[in-house]
Amino acid sequence: MSAPAVTAPGAKVSDFTADLVVRRRSAPAKDVVLLDLSHSNGEQLPSWEPGAHIDLLLGDGLTRQYSLCSDPNDRGIWRIGVLLDPNTRGGSRLVHESLIEGATVRVRGPRNHFPLVDAPRYRFIAGGIGITPIYSMLRKLQRAGSEWTLLYGGRTKASMAFAQELLERYPDRVTVSPQDERGFLDLNSYLQHPEEGTLVYCCGPDSLLSAVEASCACWPEGTLHIERFAAKGPTAEEVPPALENFEVVCHRSGVTLAVSGNESILDVLEEADVPVMASCYEGVCGTCETRIIEGVADHRDSVLSAAERDTGEVMMVCVSRSCTERLVLDL
Ligand code: FES
């Protein structure tokens, strides 16, 4: 039996938006910067739970999501880690070049699509910058006296943020496994024996997530919780029969819009000035989650779990489409 990955059930979208100041900037690994963000007047920031991320609104419509990796108990600082992505479309480069100490950045959130679910035991797997949401989870679990272990991989130790710090803090629980020294992560050993009650959390590049999904195939259903950096494209088997052209009825706004094959629902909504929030435009952040009143969505996001899709209650309008000629949305 496969163990389908679980993402968060319809995480609440926070209305909090503010200009925060970069209080401190450091470089904990090659091509990674850590930014501590706070209010200029020292005011408290909204509370958050491990796994949450915030949006950086970088101007000209450029928005990027970064996981919070500070201590959730510290309401004065939000810390994020940003990897300079060689394939960047501008976001991480802008952060690396512009967000120096004292700079101001517009921030929205936090939101959590990767929450820590209560369990007797946890196994964590992090790849590269995927350590950021997991680090805040470890702090919380350690404080609660929970049972956990971490397998942490990266290309080289120098590229792995927090590697030394984690080893020093939790020597009995953390295995750091740089690829240039030890090869690929030994998932077979780490996940060899399915354990009832243990949850597996993984964040990292798509190749790692796919490998972990395969290794967890014989674990109990609901074991695996993952967070993707980028949208996972649907496989041919996963794509239900979708319609090229369909109609979207915005129930509250009272407008009906035609969506054709070369545009997204979100494109059409924005063109028609129907109020809808969006951030990643790739189906990974959950910002554009919209309630479905009538019709069947063709889900193409990486946020909703299979179970959530099956309920047919919500959809991500930035990437998902329709299997019915008419889709009535709560907009
Ligand atoms: Fe991010 Fe739609 S805008 S999921």
Side-chain angles (χ1 to χ4, degrees), residues 266 277-288 303 316-319:
L266 184 56
M277 282 175 71
S279 176
C280 70
Y281 291 77
E282 291 184 349
V284 293
C285 74
T287 306
C288 68
V303 176
M316 304 301 153
V317 291
C318 61
V319 291

Side-chain angles (χ1 to χ4, degrees), residues 178-193:
Q179 195 179 327
D180 63 336
E181 294 174 25
R182 302 173 68 166
F184 289 116
L185 287 181
D186 187 1
L187 296 176
N188 286 342
S189 302
Y190 194 58
L191 300 171
Q192 191 174 20
H193 302 294

Side-chain angles (χ1 to χ4, degrees), residues 45-321:
L45 292 161
S47 61
W48 57 282
E49 286 293 319
H53 70 264
I54 55 173
D55 295 338
L56 296 194
L57 310 180
L58 298 166
D60 290 334
L62 190 62
T63 304
R64 291 292 179 267
Q65 292 78 43
Y66 297 104
S67 297
L68 292 168
C69 59
S70 38
D71 185 340
N73 284 358
D74 183 350
R75 297 278 303 277
I77 290 285
W78 280 350
R79 178 171 299 153
I80 55 172
V82 181
L83 172 70
L84 181 62
D85 180 355
N87 304 313
T88 183
R89 286 171 294 157
S92 64
R93 182 164 302 283
L94 197 66
V95 170
H96 274 244
E97 289 175 356
S98 313
L99 294 187
I100 55 175
E101 286 180 7
T104 298
V105 61
R106 192 141 189 86
V107 172
R108 182 172 65 202
R111 284 192 303 278
N112 198 340
H113 284 281
F114 190 44
L116 192 55
V117 176
D118 279 343
R121 286 173 307 281
Y122 302 83
R123 284 179 186 254
F124 293 94
I125 302 150
I129 198 68
I131 190 64
T132 48
I134 287 176
Y135 198 0
S136 60
M137 294 180 177
L138 304 184
R139 291 181 206 269
K140 178 172 177 170
L141 293 177
Q142 188 69 12
R143 216 164 11 229
S146 304
E147 204 180 309
W148 63 268
T149 57
L150 165 69
L151 180 59
Y152 178 20
R155 281 192 308 280
T156 64
K157 196 167 175 192
S159 72
M160 298 167 67
F162 310 122
Q164 195 56 36
E165 185 177 319
L166 285 163
L167 283 171
E168 284 167 14
R169 276 188 175 210
Y170 316 117
D172 302 333
R173 296 177 183 269
V174 172
T175 303
V176 168
S177 187
Q179 195 179 327
D180 63 336
E181 294 174 25
R182 302 173 68 166
F184 289 116
L185 287 181
D186 187 1
L187 296 176
N188 286 342
S189 302
Y190 194 58
L191 300 171
Q192 191 174 20
H193 302 294
E195 291 166 9
E196 199 63 50
T198 297
L199 294 184
V200 177
Y201 275 77
C202 178
C203 183
D206 213 40
S207 54
L208 175 64
L209 300 184
S210 300
V212 171
E213 280 177 321
S215 297
C216 280
C218 54
W219 282 62
E221 192 161 350
T223 293
L224 180 58
H225 296 242
I226 59 176
E227 182 157 79
R228 287 184 191 283
F229 293 160
K232 178 188 180 191
T235 65
E237 285 157 11
E238 287 170 340
V239 180
L243 297 173
E244 181 87 351
N245 304 309
F246 54 92
E247 196 176 80
V248 167
V249 179
C250 303
H251 184 68
R252 279 183 284 129
S253 311
V255 293
T256 298
L257 303 164
V259 181
S260 62
N262 57 2
E263 54 193 351
S264 69
I265 296 177
L266 184 56
D267 287 340
V268 174
L269 294 171
E270 287 185 337
E271 267 166 38
D273 288 330
V274 175
V276 56
M277 282 175 71
S279 176
C280 70
Y281 291 77
E282 291 184 349
V284 293
C285 74
T287 306
C288 68
E289 182 177 299
T290 301
R291 196 168 73 84
I292 303 168
I293 295 172
E294 189 191 309
V296 178
D298 166 34
H299 295 285
R300 300 186 177 194
D301 62 277
S302 298
V303 176
L304 298 175
S305 68
E308 287 155 9
R309 291 175 176 202
D310 287 348
T311 66
E313 289 175 1
V314 294
M315 68 185 295
M316 304 301 153
V317 291
C318 61
V319 291
S320 297
R321 302 188 65 78

Side-chain angles (χ1 to χ4, degrees), residues 23-45:
R23 287 282 174 214
R24 187 164 171 268
R25 171 178 162 133
S26 57
K30 185 173 179 305
D31 292 334
V32 176
V33 291
L34 271 191
L35 304 179
D36 284 0
L37 307 172
S38 71
H39 277 297
S40 57
N41 59 4
E43 214 177 287
Q44 285 207 330
L45 292 161

